Amino acid sequence: MKKLIAFFLFFSLPFIAFSQNSKLDSLEKAVAKMPSDTNKVKALIEVAQGYVNSDAKKAEKYGKESLALAEKLNYNQGRLVGAIRTYYYLFLQSKYEEAEKEILKGLKLAKETGNLEFEGRLSNSMAQNLMAKMSLKESIEYGLKALEIGNKLDIFRIKKNALKNIGSAYTYLGNLDKGLEYNQKALDYAIEKNEMLDQAMAYNDISMIYTNRMEFEKNLDYTKKAASLFEEMGDVSNTINSLTNLAGAFHYVGNRAEGQKYLDKARKMAAEKGFEKQLNNIYLVQGIFDYFRQDFDTAEENLNLSLQQAQKFNYGLLKQRSLRNLANLYYVKKEFSKALKYEFLAQKVLDSLTTLNNNNQIAQMETKYNLAEKETQLAEAKYESAQRRNWIIGLSLGILGILVTGSLSWRILRIKTKAAEAERLKNLEIESQNRLIMAREVERKRIAKELHDSVGSQLTVVSTSLDNAFYLFENQKLKPEKLENINTEVRLAAQSLRDTIWATYNTEISVSDLKSRIQEFVKKFADENAFKVDMDIKGDAIILTPIEGLNLFRIVQEALNNTQKYAEASLVKITGDFSE
């Protein structure tokens, strides 16, 4: 997957504007006194929607109450609406596993009752949830199913959301051309139906694709269009998001002064309107702006505020982004212990998001395998039961009948038994092959992720540096030091590739292997630098996973590189004890 180079994670989910006012309080009190009927189901959903922006946990609570009452009343429409709403409240809290269970229950009910519209809506919900879990190919499959239903029923919302979800999934996969194709279809469809909100959302999605294609002027153009539409509609939440995006767009074209104006406007609007969640992204972008101005203390303050907000609202990817930027900041400030701590925490958050998806795939694979075994055993039991019944019936026909047909029956039984055994072995072989294919897919994704995170980012730096060098050459300002820097980045990319191959080639890495790898790097490093490196690592027999081994090696590598860049050290000690 190509590296998505944007510094910021922008949210484009539509929000329904409710305020915490006396009307909502009154509705809560009224619902508590209502009889348990279908009207109460609808009222509970309305209360849940009232809390969707301010208190997702309360929204979840009322959503689940509506769902439970609808199930008790066997009120299918309420069950379907409750499934979609409750999924969304869970999704907002990053409870993706629980959200998926609600969607699957809703999908089952929609299919049982023949409700094609809700099957399409829930398929879109599943596509969105799978995308958050980075199960991108599965997300596309559900998106295509929703698109098929949307086309069949000619329902705008289902079709448009399907196009958006498919486009986003392709974008995250790194297939930016496909991502742009589907998002452009979503935009054209929204323009055709004169749906302003959806036009603005599509402009925003397309702008992010252009960012990752490094077409920054187009990114700025589409971001302006999105911001203008949101502001025209009076959509406060999305206006705040788009103003923050616009600040980022100006950052990319090198006009941070203009970007700061839009960021200040976004912060003021979020504070005045009480949109606390949007402050997370604002703090993050402000911290990056402060960093580039070399106002490191203010940058640290804003990035820590961003981290606090991400933790408060359980935004995993934004938490990882805040931690990563804090690590970079502490390296520049020469606070190396803090830098290493935040680098480790950022990687831990990223690994946890990836591991969650891999574990889910393995669990599904095991479930399918166990189910196949149980079905085979059940088929064998049924077959044996049928044979016993046939034997009793045959016996009742008399000894003469048995003597006449015995030989033939025995041969038929033998043929059927062999056929059943052959079918059972075939099913087991198929399941074994599926397990192998799934395991390879998990491993492939692990390798792809490592290449994306290491080599991909370094090649992006090389590409950007070459573009800059070409510009300097044309203006006769190119210096040899610039080319030397590019050469260094190329060598680093090659080294990262070798490190990745080392880790991914092994199914497990011992501490002894890791130590040898570090010693090899330290020897080359010490030969090129003035300081001495002493190493003391214990616990040679301990076994690590490839990810653990590579991450530990990367931490040592990064620490030495930053020591060489920023510290005036004469001696560096590397110690580790894995024996306990």
Side-chain angles (χ1 to χ4, degrees), residues 448-506:
K449 173 185 173 295
E450 177 55 31
L451 290 173
H452 160 269
D453 287 347
S454 57
V455 181
S457 61
Q458 288 166 326
L459 290 179
T460 299
V461 172
V462 171
S463 175
T464 305
S465 299
L466 286 172
D467 289 343
N468 188 30
F470 182 77
Y471 172 81
L472 294 172
F473 177 80
E474 287 186 325
N475 291 274
Q476 298 182 347
K477 295 180 180 180
L478 181 62
K479 297 180 179 180
E481 293 83 358
K482 183 67 178 178
L483 295 177
E484 180 57 32
N485 290 338
I486 296 173
N487 183 45
T488 300
E489 290 296 336
V490 172
R491 285 190 283 107
L492 286 173
Q495 181 62 47
S496 292
L497 183 58
R498 285 193 291 271
D499 295 338
T500 302
I501 293 170
W502 165 70
T504 54
Y505 181 79
N506 299 287

Side-chain angles (χ1 to χ4, degrees), residues 140-153:
I140 291 171
E141 290 174 6
Y142 274 97
L144 290 170
K145 179 62 179 176
L147 182 59
E148 179 187 344
I149 294 172
N151 284 327
K152 184 175 181 178
L153 299 180

Side-chain angles (χ1 to χ4, degrees), residues 146-162:
L147 182 59
E148 179 187 344
I149 294 172
N151 284 327
K152 184 175 181 178
L153 299 180
D154 194 24
I155 296 178
F156 170 79
R157 187 61 51 202
I158 295 175
K159 181 177 177 180
K160 177 264 164 187
N161 285 343

Side-chain angles (χ1 to χ4, degrees), residues 61-121:
K61 171 182 173 292
Y62 282 107
K64 287 182 175 178
E65 283 184 23
S66 74
L67 194 54
L69 181 56
E71 289 174 350
K72 183 178 179 181
L73 298 172
N74 199 26
Y75 175 34
N76 288 338
Q77 186 72 8
R79 291 168 67 189
L80 290 169
V81 173
I84 287 180
R85 297 299 188 196
T86 304
Y87 143 73
Y88 186 58
Y89 308 143
L90 293 166
F91 179 87
L92 288 177
Q93 300 173 74
S94 302
K95 297 180 179 179
Y96 303 129
E97 297 307 308
E98 195 175 347
E100 185 171 312
K101 291 177 183 177
E102 295 298 339
I103 300 170
L104 289 172
K105 286 193 289 187
L107 276 171
K108 182 181 178 182
L109 178 62
K111 291 175 181 178
E112 288 174 352
T113 57
N115 195 322
L116 199 58
E117 178 183 348
F118 270 89
E119 185 182 347
R121 292 174 64 182

